[in-house]
Amino acid sequence: MSTSERLIESTRALLWERGYVGTSPKAILERAGAGQGSMYHHFKGKPDLALAAIRRTAEEMRAAAETVLGGPGTPYERIEAYLRRERDVLRGCPVGRLTMDPDVIADDALRAPVDETLAWLRGRLAGIVDEGREQGQFAPDLDGEEIAAAVVATVQGGYVLARASGSPAAFEAGVRGLLALLAPAGPRTA
């Protein structure tokens, strides 16, 4: 792995663990096993490196989501696969946690990949809900954008509740509840 890759990966890990302020250039260099001038050789400074790290994290989140959202199955099954995919719930979402970092949110450049990723996810989910509505799997009056927002809120809120309680149970309960609300109605009997 190149020095610039080690710097990006180290920054990604530190941002998730410590946040922007807690991610010092010294800590980045130590974790990357890089010399003092390495960061400034490859990046303009900490903000530039943090932006590269945030973009990489966002790209990975999109790829992981697309793997299940673009996979096989009905619209409901794909949303279910997204909600139930393997996650380290107690660590939280590496992208979602950035929204809690005041330094990231205050910086338009650092916030942009976070906002773009969450907007992409809502759009992708809304399209799947609309597809399911058109196929008659979901109620005709469901609003794809609203349901997509509820799915993202359930996941992000589930992380918060799980971390607060120290148990993934709250995350799992939120997922089960949302899936029960979205579950296609079975055949109706008179």
Side-chain angles (χ1 to χ4, degrees), residues 67-104:
T67 296
V68 292
L69 295 174
T74 66
Y76 176 87
E77 290 166 343
R78 292 176 5 236
I79 291 171
E80 179 182 32
Y82 170 74
L83 288 167
R84 294 188 187 273
R85 77 178 174 86
E86 189 172 328
R87 293 176 164 87
D88 189 351
V89 175
L90 296 180
R91 279 192 79 197
C93 174
V95 171
R97 284 186 64 180
L98 292 168
T99 66
M100 303 298 224
D101 191 317
D103 295 288
V104 171

mmCIF file of all heavy atoms in Angstrom, residues 67-104:
data_model
loop_
_atom_site.group_PDB
_atom_site.id
_atom_site.type_symbol
_atom_site.label_atom_id
_atom_site.label_comp_id
_atom_site.label_asym_id
_atom_site.label_seq_id
_atom_site.Cartn_x
_atom_site.Cartn_y
_atom_site.Cartn_z
ATOM 1 N N THR A 67 -24.695 -2.987 -3.469
ATOM 2 C CA THR A 67 -24.585 -4.444 -3.588
ATOM 3 C C THR A 67 -25.915 -5.112 -3.248
ATOM 4 O O THR A 67 -26.353 -6.028 -3.943
ATOM 5 C CB THR A 67 -23.465 -4.988 -2.680
ATOM 6 O OG1 THR A 67 -22.227 -4.440 -3.152
ATOM 7 C CG2 THR A 67 -23.392 -6.496 -2.710
ATOM 8 N N VAL A 68 -26.574 -4.641 -2.192
ATOM 9 C CA VAL A 68 -27.851 -5.267 -1.815
ATOM 10 C C VAL A 68 -29.041 -4.595 -2.492
ATOM 11 O O VAL A 68 -29.983 -5.273 -2.893
ATOM 12 C CB VAL A 68 -28.042 -5.322 -0.283
ATOM 13 C CG1 VAL A 68 -27.049 -6.273 0.349
ATOM 14 C CG2 VAL A 68 -27.945 -3.961 0.363
ATOM 15 N N LEU A 69 -29.000 -3.282 -2.660
ATOM 16 C CA LEU A 69 -30.134 -2.593 -3.288
ATOM 17 C C LEU A 69 -30.254 -2.932 -4.766
ATOM 18 O O LEU A 69 -31.348 -2.954 -5.318
ATOM 19 C CB LEU A 69 -30.018 -1.077 -3.093
ATOM 20 C CG LEU A 69 -30.124 -0.593 -1.648
ATOM 21 C CD1 LEU A 69 -29.860 0.894 -1.564
ATOM 22 C CD2 LEU A 69 -31.474 -0.951 -1.042
ATOM 23 N N GLY A 70 -29.135 -3.196 -5.414
ATOM 24 C CA GLY A 70 -29.148 -3.556 -6.822
ATOM 25 C C GLY A 70 -29.130 -5.053 -7.052
ATOM 26 O O GLY A 70 -29.046 -5.514 -8.185
ATOM 27 N N GLY A 71 -29.227 -5.812 -5.972
ATOM 28 C CA GLY A 71 -29.172 -7.269 -6.062
ATOM 29 C C GLY A 71 -30.502 -7.878 -6.469
ATOM 30 O O GLY A 71 -31.447 -7.174 -6.836
ATOM 31 N N PRO A 72 -30.564 -9.186 -6.378
ATOM 32 C CA PRO A 72 -31.792 -9.877 -6.785
ATOM 33 C C PRO A 72 -32.905 -9.705 -5.743
ATOM 34 O O PRO A 72 -32.649 -9.357 -4.603
ATOM 35 C CB PRO A 72 -31.340 -11.340 -6.858
ATOM 36 C CG PRO A 72 -30.225 -11.433 -5.861
ATOM 37 C CD PRO A 72 -29.524 -10.104 -5.915
ATOM 38 N N GLY A 73 -34.110 -9.961 -6.180
ATOM 39 C CA GLY A 73 -35.249 -9.959 -5.265
ATOM 40 C C GLY A 73 -36.257 -8.875 -5.581
ATOM 41 O O GLY A 73 -36.014 -7.983 -6.403
ATOM 42 N N THR A 74 -37.358 -8.974 -4.899
ATOM 43 C CA THR A 74 -38.412 -7.973 -5.037
ATOM 44 C C THR A 74 -37.949 -6.674 -4.383
ATOM 45 O O THR A 74 -36.975 -6.670 -3.621
ATOM 46 C CB THR A 74 -39.697 -8.451 -4.323
ATOM 47 O OG1 THR A 74 -39.424 -8.511 -2.914
ATOM 48 C CG2 THR A 74 -40.164 -9.809 -4.839
ATOM 49 N N PRO A 75 -38.642 -5.588 -4.631
ATOM 50 C CA PRO A 75 -38.287 -4.343 -3.951
ATOM 51 C C PRO A 75 -38.265 -4.496 -2.419
ATOM 52 O O PRO A 75 -37.330 -4.027 -1.771
ATOM 53 C CB PRO A 75 -39.361 -3.363 -4.427
ATOM 54 C CG PRO A 75 -39.670 -3.840 -5.815
ATOM 55 C CD PRO A 75 -39.642 -5.346 -5.691
ATOM 56 N N TYR A 76 -39.266 -5.160 -1.861
ATOM 57 C CA TYR A 76 -39.285 -5.372 -0.412
ATOM 58 C C TYR A 76 -38.060 -6.169 0.023
ATOM 59 O O TYR A 76 -37.401 -5.824 1.008
ATOM 60 C CB TYR A 76 -40.570 -6.090 0.018
ATOM 61 C CG TYR A 76 -40.583 -6.402 1.499
ATOM 62 C CD1 TYR A 76 -41.040 -5.459 2.408
ATOM 63 C CD2 TYR A 76 -40.137 -7.631 1.992
ATOM 64 C CE1 TYR A 76 -41.041 -5.723 3.776
ATOM 65 C CE2 TYR A 76 -40.130 -7.898 3.352
ATOM 66 C CZ TYR A 76 -40.587 -6.949 4.226
ATOM 67 O OH TYR A 76 -40.570 -7.209 5.589
ATOM 68 N N GLU A 77 -37.734 -7.229 -0.700
ATOM 69 C CA GLU A 77 -36.601 -8.075 -0.326
ATOM 70 C C GLU A 77 -35.274 -7.310 -0.406
ATOM 71 O O GLU A 77 -34.382 -7.509 0.422
ATOM 72 C CB GLU A 77 -36.540 -9.323 -1.212
ATOM 73 C CG GLU A 77 -37.661 -10.302 -0.936
ATOM 74 C CD GLU A 77 -37.813 -11.375 -2.011
ATOM 75 O OE1 GLU A 77 -37.275 -11.213 -3.134
ATOM 76 O OE2 GLU A 77 -38.487 -12.380 -1.718
ATOM 77 N N ARG A 78 -35.154 -6.412 -1.355
ATOM 78 C CA ARG A 78 -33.922 -5.630 -1.473
ATOM 79 C C ARG A 78 -33.809 -4.614 -0.345
ATOM 80 O O ARG A 78 -32.725 -4.400 0.201
ATOM 81 C CB ARG A 78 -33.844 -4.984 -2.860
ATOM 82 C CG ARG A 78 -33.652 -6.065 -3.913
ATOM 83 C CD ARG A 78 -33.631 -5.655 -5.366
ATOM 84 N NE ARG A 78 -33.692 -4.279 -5.733
ATOM 85 C CZ ARG A 78 -34.623 -3.766 -6.542
ATOM 86 N NH1 ARG A 78 -35.580 -4.506 -7.044
ATOM 87 N NH2 ARG A 78 -34.585 -2.495 -6.874
ATOM 88 N N ILE A 79 -34.923 -3.990 0.031
ATOM 89 C CA ILE A 79 -34.904 -3.074 1.175
ATOM 90 C C ILE A 79 -34.607 -3.864 2.447
ATOM 91 O O ILE A 79 -33.810 -3.432 3.289
ATOM 92 C CB ILE A 79 -36.227 -2.281 1.278
ATOM 93 C CG1 ILE A 79 -36.332 -1.304 0.106
ATOM 94 C CG2 ILE A 79 -36.314 -1.551 2.611
ATOM 95 C CD1 ILE A 79 -37.681 -0.624 -0.021
ATOM 96 N N GLU A 80 -35.219 -5.023 2.574
ATOM 97 C CA GLU A 80 -34.953 -5.873 3.738
ATOM 98 C C GLU A 80 -33.478 -6.265 3.794
ATOM 99 O O GLU A 80 -32.852 -6.215 4.847
ATOM 100 C CB GLU A 80 -35.819 -7.135 3.696
ATOM 101 C CG GLU A 80 -35.562 -8.071 4.860
ATOM 102 C CD GLU A 80 -36.386 -9.337 4.799
ATOM 103 O OE1 GLU A 80 -36.690 -9.815 3.686
ATOM 104 O OE2 GLU A 80 -36.724 -9.854 5.878
ATOM 105 N N ALA A 81 -32.902 -6.632 2.649
ATOM 106 C CA ALA A 81 -31.480 -7.003 2.605
ATOM 107 C C ALA A 81 -30.605 -5.823 3.029
ATOM 108 O O ALA A 81 -29.616 -6.000 3.746
ATOM 109 C CB ALA A 81 -31.102 -7.487 1.205
ATOM 110 N N TYR A 82 -30.969 -4.618 2.612
ATOM 111 C CA TYR A 82 -30.224 -3.428 3.014
ATOM 112 C C TYR A 82 -30.316 -3.241 4.531
ATOM 113 O O TYR A 82 -29.317 -3.003 5.202
ATOM 114 C CB TYR A 82 -30.728 -2.180 2.280
ATOM 115 C CG TYR A 82 -30.144 -0.927 2.860
ATOM 116 C CD1 TYR A 82 -28.809 -0.592 2.625
ATOM 117 C CD2 TYR A 82 -30.899 -0.096 3.684
ATOM 118 C CE1 TYR A 82 -28.254 0.536 3.203
ATOM 119 C CE2 TYR A 82 -30.339 1.033 4.252
ATOM 120 C CZ TYR A 82 -29.025 1.339 4.018
ATOM 121 O OH TYR A 82 -28.472 2.455 4.608
ATOM 122 N N LEU A 83 -31.515 -3.324 5.062
ATOM 123 C CA LEU A 83 -31.703 -3.110 6.494
ATOM 124 C C LEU A 83 -31.025 -4.182 7.347
ATOM 125 O O LEU A 83 -30.534 -3.900 8.433
ATOM 126 C CB LEU A 83 -33.198 -3.056 6.830
ATOM 127 C CG LEU A 83 -33.919 -1.789 6.372
ATOM 128 C CD1 LEU A 83 -35.430 -1.969 6.465
ATOM 129 C CD2 LEU A 83 -33.459 -0.585 7.188
ATOM 130 N N ARG A 84 -30.983 -5.405 6.840
ATOM 131 C CA ARG A 84 -30.430 -6.512 7.624
ATOM 132 C C ARG A 84 -28.970 -6.838 7.294
ATOM 133 O O ARG A 84 -28.405 -7.750 7.876
ATOM 134 C CB ARG A 84 -31.279 -7.761 7.433
ATOM 135 C CG ARG A 84 -32.682 -7.631 7.988
ATOM 136 C CD ARG A 84 -33.396 -8.972 7.943
ATOM 137 N NE ARG A 84 -34.778 -8.893 8.311
ATOM 138 C CZ ARG A 84 -35.240 -8.975 9.556
ATOM 139 N NH1 ARG A 84 -34.414 -9.134 10.550
ATOM 140 N NH2 ARG A 84 -36.543 -8.900 9.789
ATOM 141 N N ARG A 85 -28.370 -6.064 6.365
ATOM 142 C CA ARG A 85 -26.993 -6.400 5.999
ATOM 143 C C ARG A 85 -26.079 -6.281 7.213
ATOM 144 O O ARG A 85 -26.373 -5.575 8.172
ATOM 145 C CB ARG A 85 -26.508 -5.547 4.835
ATOM 146 C CG ARG A 85 -26.129 -4.146 5.164
ATOM 147 C CD ARG A 85 -25.620 -3.434 3.916
ATOM 148 N NE ARG A 85 -25.368 -2.051 4.169
ATOM 149 C CZ ARG A 85 -24.225 -1.566 4.667
ATOM 150 N NH1 ARG A 85 -23.247 -2.369 4.975
ATOM 151 N NH2 ARG A 85 -24.093 -0.278 4.876
ATOM 152 N N GLU A 86 -24.968 -6.993 7.151
ATOM 153 C CA GLU A 86 -24.052 -7.009 8.288
ATOM 154 C C GLU A 86 -23.473 -5.621 8.527
ATOM 155 O O GLU A 86 -23.012 -4.953 7.609
ATOM 156 C CB GLU A 86 -22.930 -8.015 8.027
ATOM 157 C CG GLU A 86 -22.077 -8.248 9.242
ATOM 158 C CD GLU A 86 -21.091 -9.377 9.052
ATOM 159 O OE1 GLU A 86 -21.408 -10.335 8.327
ATOM 160 O OE2 GLU A 86 -19.996 -9.280 9.630
ATOM 161 N N ARG A 87 -23.529 -5.198 9.784
ATOM 162 C CA ARG A 87 -23.001 -3.895 10.196
ATOM 163 C C ARG A 87 -22.377 -4.057 11.577
ATOM 164 O O ARG A 87 -22.813 -4.884 12.354
ATOM 165 C CB ARG A 87 -24.134 -2.870 10.341
ATOM 166 C CG ARG A 87 -24.838 -2.476 9.090
ATOM 167 C CD ARG A 87 -26.003 -1.533 9.455
ATOM 168 N NE ARG A 87 -26.504 -0.832 8.307
ATOM 169 C CZ ARG A 87 -27.438 -1.317 7.510
ATOM 170 N NH1 ARG A 87 -27.960 -2.498 7.727
ATOM 171 N NH2 ARG A 87 -27.851 -0.623 6.477
ATOM 172 N N ASP A 88 -21.420 -3.208 11.878
ATOM 173 C CA ASP A 88 -20.890 -3.134 13.239
ATOM 174 C C ASP A 88 -21.713 -2.055 13.944
ATOM 175 O O ASP A 88 -21.312 -0.900 14.048
ATOM 176 C CB ASP A 88 -19.401 -2.786 13.204
ATOM 177 C CG ASP A 88 -18.748 -2.903 14.566
ATOM 178 O OD1 ASP A 88 -19.470 -3.081 15.576
ATOM 179 O OD2 ASP A 88 -17.507 -2.814 14.624
ATOM 180 N N VAL A 89 -22.892 -2.462 14.382
ATOM 181 C CA VAL A 89 -23.893 -1.516 14.887
ATOM 182 C C VAL A 89 -23.360 -0.686 16.050
ATOM 183 O O VAL A 89 -23.621 0.517 16.134
ATOM 184 C CB VAL A 89 -25.177 -2.279 15.301
ATOM 185 C CG1 VAL A 89 -26.187 -1.361 15.945
ATOM 186 C CG2 VAL A 89 -25.785 -2.954 14.083
ATOM 187 N N LEU A 90 -22.595 -1.287 16.927
ATOM 188 C CA LEU A 90 -22.128 -0.558 18.101
ATOM 189 C C LEU A 90 -21.034 0.461 17.781
ATOM 190 O O LEU A 90 -20.798 1.372 18.568
ATOM 191 C CB LEU A 90 -21.660 -1.527 19.184
ATOM 192 C CG LEU A 90 -22.773 -2.416 19.745
ATOM 193 C CD1 LEU A 90 -22.231 -3.358 20.806
ATOM 194 C CD2 LEU A 90 -23.925 -1.586 20.300
ATOM 195 N N ARG A 91 -20.405 0.340 16.634
ATOM 196 C CA ARG A 91 -19.430 1.362 16.220
ATOM 197 C C ARG A 91 -20.128 2.530 15.541
ATOM 198 O O ARG A 91 -19.584 3.619 15.460
ATOM 199 C CB ARG A 91 -18.404 0.771 15.253
ATOM 200 C CG ARG A 91 -17.307 0.014 15.971
ATOM 201 C CD ARG A 91 -16.159 -0.306 15.072
ATOM 202 N NE ARG A 91 -15.312 0.879 14.911
ATOM 203 C CZ ARG A 91 -14.426 0.993 13.936
ATOM 204 N NH1 ARG A 91 -14.271 0.043 13.046
ATOM 205 N NH2 ARG A 91 -13.677 2.076 13.844
ATOM 206 N N GLY A 92 -21.326 2.301 15.033
ATOM 207 C CA GLY A 92 -22.047 3.352 14.339
ATOM 208 C C GLY A 92 -21.684 3.399 12.868
ATOM 209 O O GLY A 92 -20.805 2.685 12.406
ATOM 210 N N CYS A 93 -22.367 4.248 12.165
ATOM 211 C CA CYS A 93 -22.141 4.408 10.728
ATOM 212 C C CYS A 93 -20.982 5.377 10.514
ATOM 213 O O CYS A 93 -21.016 6.489 11.045
ATOM 214 C CB CYS A 93 -23.414 4.964 10.076
ATOM 215 S SG CYS A 93 -23.208 5.370 8.326
ATOM 216 N N PRO A 94 -19.980 4.976 9.732
ATOM 217 C CA PRO A 94 -18.848 5.884 9.532
ATOM 218 C C PRO A 94 -19.218 7.174 8.808
ATOM 219 O O PRO A 94 -18.579 8.197 9.005
ATOM 220 C CB PRO A 94 -17.851 5.057 8.723
ATOM 221 C CG PRO A 94 -18.649 3.958 8.111
ATOM 222 C CD PRO A 94 -19.816 3.718 9.021
ATOM 223 N N VAL A 95 -20.263 7.148 7.999
ATOM 224 C CA VAL A 95 -20.719 8.369 7.332
ATOM 225 C C VAL A 95 -21.675 9.127 8.257
ATOM 226 O O VAL A 95 -21.528 10.329 8.466
ATOM 227 C CB VAL A 95 -21.387 8.058 5.975
ATOM 228 C CG1 VAL A 95 -22.052 9.294 5.384
ATOM 229 C CG2 VAL A 95 -20.358 7.495 5.000
ATOM 230 N N GLY A 96 -22.626 8.428 8.833
ATOM 231 C CA GLY A 96 -23.591 9.066 9.719
ATOM 232 C C GLY A 96 -22.936 9.736 10.915
ATOM 233 O O GLY A 96 -23.363 10.813 11.349
ATOM 234 N N ARG A 97 -21.898 9.132 11.451
ATOM 235 C CA ARG A 97 -21.222 9.731 12.603
ATOM 236 C C ARG A 97 -20.580 11.062 12.256
ATOM 237 O O ARG A 97 -20.417 11.921 13.122
ATOM 238 C CB ARG A 97 -20.186 8.769 13.177
ATOM 239 C CG ARG A 97 -20.857 7.676 13.982
ATOM 240 C CD ARG A 97 -19.916 6.781 14.690
ATOM 241 N NE ARG A 97 -19.138 7.476 15.706
ATOM 242 C CZ ARG A 97 -18.244 6.872 16.451
ATOM 243 N NH1 ARG A 97 -18.020 5.584 16.307
ATOM 244 N NH2 ARG A 97 -17.567 7.536 17.361
ATOM 245 N N LEU A 98 -20.216 11.239 11.008
ATOM 246 C CA LEU A 98 -19.629 12.518 10.607
ATOM 247 C C LEU A 98 -20.623 13.666 10.746
ATOM 248 O O LEU A 98 -20.230 14.813 10.920
ATOM 249 C CB LEU A 98 -19.104 12.426 9.172
ATOM 250 C CG LEU A 98 -17.899 11.509 8.965
ATOM 251 C CD1 LEU A 98 -17.660 11.269 7.480
ATOM 252 C CD2 LEU A 98 -16.660 12.073 9.644
ATOM 253 N N THR A 99 -21.923 13.363 10.699
ATOM 254 C CA THR A 99 -22.933 14.412 10.857
ATOM 255 C C THR A 99 -22.970 14.936 12.285
ATOM 256 O O THR A 99 -23.514 16.011 12.530
ATOM 257 C CB THR A 99 -24.346 13.920 10.473
ATOM 258 O OG1 THR A 99 -24.760 12.924 11.406
ATOM 259 C CG2 THR A 99 -24.381 13.393 9.055
ATOM 260 N N MET A 100 -22.409 14.177 13.207
ATOM 261 C CA MET A 100 -22.367 14.600 14.611
ATOM 262 C C MET A 100 -21.095 15.390 14.926
ATOM 263 O O MET A 100 -20.922 15.850 16.038
ATOM 264 C CB MET A 100 -22.417 13.373 15.523
ATOM 265 C CG MET A 100 -23.618 12.505 15.290
ATOM 266 S SD MET A 100 -25.116 13.394 15.623
ATOM 267 C CE MET A 100 -25.984 12.165 16.537
ATOM 268 N N ASP A 101 -20.207 15.500 13.951
ATOM 269 C CA ASP A 101 -18.932 16.186 14.154
ATOM 270 C C ASP A 101 -19.101 17.650 13.743
ATOM 271 O O ASP A 101 -19.236 17.952 12.556
ATOM 272 C CB ASP A 101 -17.851 15.503 13.308
ATOM 273 C CG ASP A 101 -16.461 15.975 13.660
ATOM 274 O OD1 ASP A 101 -16.274 17.204 13.842
ATOM 275 O OD2 ASP A 101 -15.560 15.119 13.733
ATOM 276 N N PRO A 102 -19.100 18.567 14.704
ATOM 277 C CA PRO A 102 -19.351 19.974 14.377
ATOM 278 C C PRO A 102 -18.338 20.556 13.386
ATOM 279 O O PRO A 102 -18.677 21.424 12.587
ATOM 280 C CB PRO A 102 -19.293 20.699 15.722
ATOM 281 C CG PRO A 102 -18.802 19.716 16.712
ATOM 282 C CD PRO A 102 -18.892 18.355 16.125
ATOM 283 N N ASP A 103 -17.100 20.071 13.413
ATOM 284 C CA ASP A 103 -16.088 20.597 12.496
ATOM 285 C C ASP A 103 -16.332 20.140 11.065
ATOM 286 O O ASP A 103 -16.039 20.871 10.116
ATOM 287 C CB ASP A 103 -14.693 20.190 12.966
ATOM 288 C CG ASP A 103 -14.358 20.832 14.300
ATOM 289 O OD1 ASP A 103 -14.118 22.051 14.305
ATOM 290 O OD2 ASP A 103 -14.380 20.132 15.334
ATOM 291 N N VAL A 104 -16.858 18.940 10.891
ATOM 292 C CA VAL A 104 -17.187 18.446 9.552
ATOM 293 C C VAL A 104 -18.410 19.193 9.024
ATOM 294 O O VAL A 104 -18.432 19.660 7.885
ATOM 295 C CB VAL A 104 -17.423 16.921 9.560
ATOM 296 C CG1 VAL A 104 -17.975 16.444 8.226
ATOM 297 C CG2 VAL A 104 -16.125 16.186 9.892
#
